[in-house]
């Protein structure tokens, strides 16, 4: 009964927003709607964190046929490192770019499906920044090097959910 009630409320809300979006007819109305959505998202996140220097470090560069891969690290927050790869096509830019926050695989950006996508994009002339989400790939938070396993669960998605829960209680979202 509860699920049916909540489902009906959600469907009614979705219908209301579908109707409101359906009334948008001009570019100015699209811009106004975009401003509204951005403001609501910012409000729900309690604003954006302060900017901090990324302090990027390129740890290795691999030259390939038609592109290069830069292994890099940067700080998304002070002393909180993000690992990733930057795929750069050969030639003179500017190039269009794609950011890939890949997830739901323990190997993260190194998963073959992701690698195929990155190589396809860089061969098509795109720069690709692929990085590991918290709890996946090189950013395992609860990794035990002695056992070679995570200490929290078999799924890596638990690792990137756990810190978020703590931050919510601290109002650090």
């Amino acid at each position: 009964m509860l699920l049916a009630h909540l489902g009906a409320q959600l469907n009614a809300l979705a219908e209301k927003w579908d109707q409101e979006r359906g009334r948008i007819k001009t570019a100015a109305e699209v811009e106004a709607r975009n401003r509204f959505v951005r403001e609501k998202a910012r409000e729900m996140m309690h604003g954006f964190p302060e900017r901090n220097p990324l302090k990027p470090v390129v740890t290795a560069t691999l030259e390939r046929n038609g592109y290069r891969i830069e292994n890099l690290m940067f700080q998304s927050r002070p002393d909180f490192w993000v690992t990733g790869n930057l795929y750069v096509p050969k030639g003179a830019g500017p190039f269009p770019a794609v950011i890939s926050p890949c997830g739901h695989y323990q190997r993260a950006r190194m998963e073959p499906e992701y690698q195929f996508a990155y190589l396809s994009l860089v061969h098509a002339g795109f720069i690709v920044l692929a990085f590991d989400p918290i709890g996946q790939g090189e950013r395992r938070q609860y990794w035990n090097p002695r056992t070679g396993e995570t200490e929290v669960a078999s799924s890596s998605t638990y690792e990137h959910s756990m810190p978020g829960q703590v931050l919510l209680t601290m109002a650090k979202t």
Side-chain angles (χ1 to χ4, degrees), residues 35-48 168 171 173:
R35 279 191 302 279
F36 170 78
V37 170
R38 279 192 294 273
E39 183 53 40
K40 283 297 176 189
R42 190 175 299 115
E43 182 183 315
M44 289 187 295
M45 293 184 298
H46 306 284
F48 294 114
L168 282 173
T173 56

PDB file of all heavy atoms in Angstrom, residues 35-48 168 171 173:
ATOM      1  N   ARG A  35      18.134  28.132 -15.685  1.00  0.00           N
ATOM      2  CA  ARG A  35      18.549  28.861 -14.482  1.00  0.00           C
ATOM      3  C   ARG A  35      17.853  28.290 -13.250  1.00  0.00           C
ATOM      4  O   ARG A  35      18.459  28.102 -12.202  1.00  0.00           O
ATOM      5  CB  ARG A  35      18.250  30.355 -14.625  1.00  0.00           C
ATOM      6  CG  ARG A  35      19.290  31.127 -15.423  1.00  0.00           C
ATOM      7  CD  ARG A  35      19.106  32.643 -15.307  1.00  0.00           C
ATOM      8  NE  ARG A  35      17.799  33.096 -15.742  1.00  0.00           N
ATOM      9  CZ  ARG A  35      17.448  33.298 -17.016  1.00  0.00           C
ATOM     10  NH1 ARG A  35      18.338  33.096 -17.978  1.00  0.00           N
ATOM     11  NH2 ARG A  35      16.248  33.718 -17.330  1.00  0.00           N
ATOM     12  N   PHE A  36      16.555  28.016 -13.369  1.00  0.00           N
ATOM     13  CA  PHE A  36      15.776  27.449 -12.263  1.00  0.00           C
ATOM     14  C   PHE A  36      16.351  26.090 -11.833  1.00  0.00           C
ATOM     15  O   PHE A  36      16.567  25.849 -10.639  1.00  0.00           O
ATOM     16  CB  PHE A  36      14.309  27.292 -12.680  1.00  0.00           C
ATOM     17  CG  PHE A  36      13.486  26.498 -11.714  1.00  0.00           C
ATOM     18  CD1 PHE A  36      13.031  27.075 -10.535  1.00  0.00           C
ATOM     19  CD2 PHE A  36      13.172  25.170 -11.971  1.00  0.00           C
ATOM     20  CE1 PHE A  36      12.276  26.338  -9.631  1.00  0.00           C
ATOM     21  CE2 PHE A  36      12.428  24.427 -11.082  1.00  0.00           C
ATOM     22  CZ  PHE A  36      11.982  25.015  -9.902  1.00  0.00           C
ATOM     23  N   VAL A  37      16.619  25.221 -12.795  1.00  0.00           N
ATOM     24  CA  VAL A  37      17.134  23.888 -12.476  1.00  0.00           C
ATOM     25  C   VAL A  37      18.519  23.982 -11.840  1.00  0.00           C
ATOM     26  O   VAL A  37      18.798  23.314 -10.842  1.00  0.00           O
ATOM     27  CB  VAL A  37      17.151  22.993 -13.743  1.00  0.00           C
ATOM     28  CG1 VAL A  37      17.909  21.700 -13.498  1.00  0.00           C
ATOM     29  CG2 VAL A  37      15.724  22.711 -14.189  1.00  0.00           C
ATOM     30  N   ARG A  38      19.389  24.835 -12.402  1.00  0.00           N
ATOM     31  CA  ARG A  38      20.726  24.997 -11.815  1.00  0.00           C
ATOM     32  C   ARG A  38      20.641  25.507 -10.384  1.00  0.00           C
ATOM     33  O   ARG A  38      21.348  25.037  -9.489  1.00  0.00           O
ATOM     34  CB  ARG A  38      21.574  25.937 -12.676  1.00  0.00           C
ATOM     35  CG  ARG A  38      22.184  25.257 -13.888  1.00  0.00           C
ATOM     36  CD  ARG A  38      23.243  26.132 -14.549  1.00  0.00           C
ATOM     37  NE  ARG A  38      22.696  27.337 -15.138  1.00  0.00           N
ATOM     38  CZ  ARG A  38      22.218  27.419 -16.363  1.00  0.00           C
ATOM     39  NH1 ARG A  38      22.239  26.372 -17.151  1.00  0.00           N
ATOM     40  NH2 ARG A  38      21.737  28.543 -16.826  1.00  0.00           N
ATOM     41  N   GLU A  39      19.769  26.479 -10.126  1.00  0.00           N
ATOM     42  CA  GLU A  39      19.635  27.037  -8.781  1.00  0.00           C
ATOM     43  C   GLU A  39      19.101  25.988  -7.812  1.00  0.00           C
ATOM     44  O   GLU A  39      19.573  25.892  -6.686  1.00  0.00           O
ATOM     45  CB  GLU A  39      18.735  28.275  -8.798  1.00  0.00           C
ATOM     46  CG  GLU A  39      18.609  28.949  -7.451  1.00  0.00           C
ATOM     47  CD  GLU A  39      19.946  29.286  -6.800  1.00  0.00           C
ATOM     48  OE1 GLU A  39      20.880  29.721  -7.501  1.00  0.00           O
ATOM     49  OE2 GLU A  39      20.051  29.106  -5.561  1.00  0.00           O
ATOM     50  N   LYS A  40      18.124  25.207  -8.246  1.00  0.00           N
ATOM     51  CA  LYS A  40      17.579  24.155  -7.377  1.00  0.00           C
ATOM     52  C   LYS A  40      18.641  23.104  -7.064  1.00  0.00           C
ATOM     53  O   LYS A  40      18.747  22.635  -5.929  1.00  0.00           O
ATOM     54  CB  LYS A  40      16.351  23.491  -8.012  1.00  0.00           C
ATOM     55  CG  LYS A  40      15.106  24.321  -7.916  1.00  0.00           C
ATOM     56  CD  LYS A  40      14.729  24.533  -6.470  1.00  0.00           C
ATOM     57  CE  LYS A  40      13.532  25.437  -6.330  1.00  0.00           C
ATOM     58  NZ  LYS A  40      13.273  25.820  -4.956  1.00  0.00           N
ATOM     59  N   ALA A  41      19.427  22.718  -8.065  1.00  0.00           N
ATOM     60  CA  ALA A  41      20.495  21.740  -7.839  1.00  0.00           C
ATOM     61  C   ALA A  41      21.520  22.300  -6.856  1.00  0.00           C
ATOM     62  O   ALA A  41      21.946  21.615  -5.913  1.00  0.00           O
ATOM     63  CB  ALA A  41      21.162  21.361  -9.154  1.00  0.00           C
ATOM     64  N   ARG A  42      21.908  23.569  -7.034  1.00  0.00           N
ATOM     65  CA  ARG A  42      22.867  24.217  -6.132  1.00  0.00           C
ATOM     66  C   ARG A  42      22.303  24.271  -4.714  1.00  0.00           C
ATOM     67  O   ARG A  42      23.003  24.019  -3.736  1.00  0.00           O
ATOM     68  CB  ARG A  42      23.185  25.619  -6.649  1.00  0.00           C
ATOM     69  CG  ARG A  42      24.344  26.291  -5.944  1.00  0.00           C
ATOM     70  CD  ARG A  42      24.713  27.635  -6.566  1.00  0.00           C
ATOM     71  NE  ARG A  42      25.128  27.505  -7.956  1.00  0.00           N
ATOM     72  CZ  ARG A  42      24.473  28.020  -8.995  1.00  0.00           C
ATOM     73  NH1 ARG A  42      23.384  28.723  -8.816  1.00  0.00           N
ATOM     74  NH2 ARG A  42      24.913  27.852 -10.220  1.00  0.00           N
ATOM     75  N   GLU A  43      21.022  24.587  -4.596  1.00  0.00           N
ATOM     76  CA  GLU A  43      20.360  24.646  -3.289  1.00  0.00           C
ATOM     77  C   GLU A  43      20.360  23.269  -2.615  1.00  0.00           C
ATOM     78  O   GLU A  43      20.643  23.154  -1.419  1.00  0.00           O
ATOM     79  CB  GLU A  43      18.930  25.138  -3.494  1.00  0.00           C
ATOM     80  CG  GLU A  43      18.115  25.303  -2.239  1.00  0.00           C
ATOM     81  CD  GLU A  43      16.694  25.736  -2.582  1.00  0.00           C
ATOM     82  OE1 GLU A  43      16.517  26.635  -3.425  1.00  0.00           O
ATOM     83  OE2 GLU A  43      15.763  25.143  -2.013  1.00  0.00           O
ATOM     84  N   MET A  44      20.058  22.215  -3.374  1.00  0.00           N
ATOM     85  CA  MET A  44      20.020  20.866  -2.796  1.00  0.00           C
ATOM     86  C   MET A  44      21.400  20.390  -2.354  1.00  0.00           C
ATOM     87  O   MET A  44      21.521  19.610  -1.421  1.00  0.00           O
ATOM     88  CB  MET A  44      19.412  19.879  -3.792  1.00  0.00           C
ATOM     89  CG  MET A  44      17.922  20.086  -3.981  1.00  0.00           C
ATOM     90  SD  MET A  44      17.117  18.822  -4.981  1.00  0.00           S
ATOM     91  CE  MET A  44      17.862  19.048  -6.568  1.00  0.00           C
ATOM     92  N   MET A  45      22.456  20.898  -3.029  1.00  0.00           N
ATOM     93  CA  MET A  45      23.825  20.530  -2.651  1.00  0.00           C
ATOM     94  C   MET A  45      24.382  21.467  -1.579  1.00  0.00           C
ATOM     95  O   MET A  45      25.528  21.310  -1.174  1.00  0.00           O
ATOM     96  CB  MET A  45      24.742  20.589  -3.879  1.00  0.00           C
ATOM     97  CG  MET A  45      24.441  19.568  -4.915  1.00  0.00           C
ATOM     98  SD  MET A  45      25.625  19.596  -6.279  1.00  0.00           S
ATOM     99  CE  MET A  45      25.429  21.229  -6.966  1.00  0.00           C
ATOM    100  N   HIS A  46      23.588  22.444  -1.161  1.00  0.00           N
ATOM    101  CA  HIS A  46      24.041  23.451  -0.192  1.00  0.00           C
ATOM    102  C   HIS A  46      25.213  24.250  -0.744  1.00  0.00           C
ATOM    103  O   HIS A  46      26.136  24.605  -0.026  1.00  0.00           O
ATOM    104  CB  HIS A  46      24.408  22.810   1.146  1.00  0.00           C
ATOM    105  CG  HIS A  46      23.313  21.978   1.726  1.00  0.00           C
ATOM    106  ND1 HIS A  46      22.208  22.526   2.328  1.00  0.00           N
ATOM    107  CD2 HIS A  46      23.133  20.639   1.769  1.00  0.00           C
ATOM    108  CE1 HIS A  46      21.407  21.560   2.728  1.00  0.00           C
ATOM    109  NE2 HIS A  46      21.936  20.407   2.393  1.00  0.00           N
ATOM    110  N   GLY A  47      25.182  24.519  -2.037  1.00  0.00           N
ATOM    111  CA  GLY A  47      26.233  25.311  -2.672  1.00  0.00           C
ATOM    112  C   GLY A  47      27.412  24.459  -3.088  1.00  0.00           C
ATOM    113  O   GLY A  47      27.481  23.262  -2.802  1.00  0.00           O
ATOM    114  N   PHE A  48      28.323  25.082  -3.791  1.00  0.00           N
ATOM    115  CA  PHE A  48      29.518  24.400  -4.255  1.00  0.00           C
ATOM    116  C   PHE A  48      30.633  24.571  -3.239  1.00  0.00           C
ATOM    117  O   PHE A  48      30.697  25.595  -2.538  1.00  0.00           O
ATOM    118  CB  PHE A  48      29.969  24.957  -5.609  1.00  0.00           C
ATOM    119  CG  PHE A  48      28.998  24.680  -6.714  1.00  0.00           C
ATOM    120  CD1 PHE A  48      28.310  25.709  -7.328  1.00  0.00           C
ATOM    121  CD2 PHE A  48      28.787  23.377  -7.147  1.00  0.00           C
ATOM    122  CE1 PHE A  48      27.417  25.448  -8.356  1.00  0.00           C
ATOM    123  CE2 PHE A  48      27.896  23.107  -8.176  1.00  0.00           C
ATOM    124  CZ  PHE A  48      27.206  24.148  -8.774  1.00  0.00           C
ATOM    125  N   LEU A 168      27.127  13.837   4.363  1.00  0.00           N
ATOM    126  CA  LEU A 168      25.785  14.372   4.519  1.00  0.00           C
ATOM    127  C   LEU A 168      25.495  14.728   5.970  1.00  0.00           C
ATOM    128  O   LEU A 168      24.928  15.763   6.272  1.00  0.00           O
ATOM    129  CB  LEU A 168      24.739  13.351   4.027  1.00  0.00           C
ATOM    130  CG  LEU A 168      24.565  13.266   2.522  1.00  0.00           C
ATOM    131  CD1 LEU A 168      23.645  12.108   2.175  1.00  0.00           C
ATOM    132  CD2 LEU A 168      24.023  14.557   1.962  1.00  0.00           C
ATOM    133  N   ALA A 171      27.055  17.943   6.921  1.00  0.00           N
ATOM    134  CA  ALA A 171      26.645  19.081   6.077  1.00  0.00           C
ATOM    135  C   ALA A 171      27.794  19.520   5.168  1.00  0.00           C
ATOM    136  O   ALA A 171      28.024  20.681   4.942  1.00  0.00           O
ATOM    137  CB  ALA A 171      26.147  20.233   6.917  1.00  0.00           C
ATOM    138  N   THR A 173      28.094  18.367   1.932  1.00  0.00           N
ATOM    139  CA  THR A 173      27.741  17.891   0.603  1.00  0.00           C
ATOM    140  C   THR A 173      28.066  18.919  -0.443  1.00  0.00           C
ATOM    141  O   THR A 173      28.273  20.064  -0.187  1.00  0.00           O
ATOM    142  CB  THR A 173      26.251  17.555   0.525  1.00  0.00           C
ATOM    143  OG1 THR A 173      25.514  18.707   0.918  1.00  0.00           O
ATOM    144  CG2 THR A 173      25.932  16.378   1.415  1.00  0.00           C
TER     145      THR A 173
END
